[in-house]
Amino acid sequence: MSDSSKQPPVNRYNSHFAETLRSLMESHGTTQKELAAFMNIRPQSLSLYCTGETQPNGDKLLKIAEFYGVTVDYLLTGTIIEDIPVRETLGLSQRTVENMRLIKDGYFEDSPYMLPMLDMMLGDKDFYSALERAAYWLQNGNEDMEEKRDYYEFKAEKVLEDYLFDFVGRNFQR
């Protein structure tokens, strides 16, 4: 690990790792003595981790992560991977994410049914095949003559309509 003695004491104390470790210890009611015993180190060594004077090696980081049930990434950065916005991870628009939140929060009358249905659809490989076929028809319509564009749009809509009817029939039979 890097030599933390070059940093001013306040910066070391406020390092991500030191802050995260202290926060975990406080929220779980763990004493330095308890955690040090689990890690098979002296409590004084753990105290240095808590103040940012030193940082543990990889093996000790893994032991701390195991003790608290967190990732090493979380210990070092204080960021939970799941907190990375879905929009950034998947490339979704802000509007899409906001609509999904509205569904989750019960904004729509049929909200309890919408998320499971969307989840099932997005997990269905046939959904992506249908989107691919619809995109093919739309692409051809954009490259061809104006009078045929309506036909290609109809074909794209028909592909998606057929998929939706089939999907509902397969997944929501009474």
Side-chain angles (χ1 to χ4, degrees):
M1 296 274 157
S2 63
D3 181 13
S4 60
S5 62
K6 294 177 185 174
Q7 295 180 16
V10 172
N11 288 347
R12 290 189 304 252
Y13 185 78
N14 293 325
S15 73
H16 285 295
F17 173 73
E19 282 185 5
T20 302
L21 180 59
R22 289 191 310 270
S23 174
L24 285 169
M25 291 178 71
E26 182 178 327
S27 67
H28 287 81
T30 309
T31 66
Q32 288 182 1
K33 186 175 181 180
E34 291 170 321
L35 183 55
F38 177 80
M39 296 175 60
N40 201 25
I41 62 173
R42 298 175 322 160
Q44 295 86 339
S45 297
L46 188 63
S47 176
L48 293 174
Y49 298 163
C50 290
T51 61
E53 294 296 314
T54 63
Q55 289 195 350
N57 64 24
D59 291 338
K60 301 301 183 203
L61 276 171
L62 286 171
K63 289 295 270 186
I64 296 169
E66 177 187 345
F67 187 85
Y68 288 110
V70 298
T71 64
V72 172
D73 273 350
Y74 177 75
L75 290 174
L76 295 175
T77 66
T79 302
I80 299 172
I81 292 173
E82 289 83 19
D83 285 347
I84 297 172
V86 172
R87 187 174 65 78
E88 290 176 21
T89 304
L90 300 177
L92 299 173
S93 70
Q94 184 63 37
R95 186 184 76 217
T96 299
V97 172
E98 287 172 8
N99 285 337
M100 296 294 285
R101 283 193 182 116
L102 286 173
I103 292 169
K104 181 181 175 291
D105 293 341
Y107 179 79
F108 299 99
E109 185 176 319
D110 293 324
S111 290
Y113 306 105
M114 294 172 98
L115 280 180
M117 184 182 216
L118 283 170
D119 185 45
M120 287 172 47
M121 188 180 300
L122 292 173
D124 182 12
K125 66 177 174 34
D126 292 337
F127 172 68
Y128 300 98
S129 296
L131 285 178
E132 185 176 41
R133 289 191 310 276
Y136 166 81
W137 285 109
L138 289 175
Q139 180 182 2
N140 283 338
N142 288 333
E143 294 174 357
D144 212 342
M145 298 170 14
E146 182 70 33
E147 59 267 8
K148 291 185 178 181
R149 186 166 296 147
D150 287 343
Y151 170 75
Y152 289 117
E153 287 177 3
F154 166 78
K155 290 295 281 184
E157 290 171 6
K158 185 72 173 133
V159 166
L160 293 176
E161 180 181 277
D162 289 347
Y163 166 77
L164 286 172
F165 281 128
D166 179 62
F167 174 79
V168 170
R170 282 184 287 129
N171 293 290
F172 299 100
Q173 295 174 351
R174 292 181 185 221

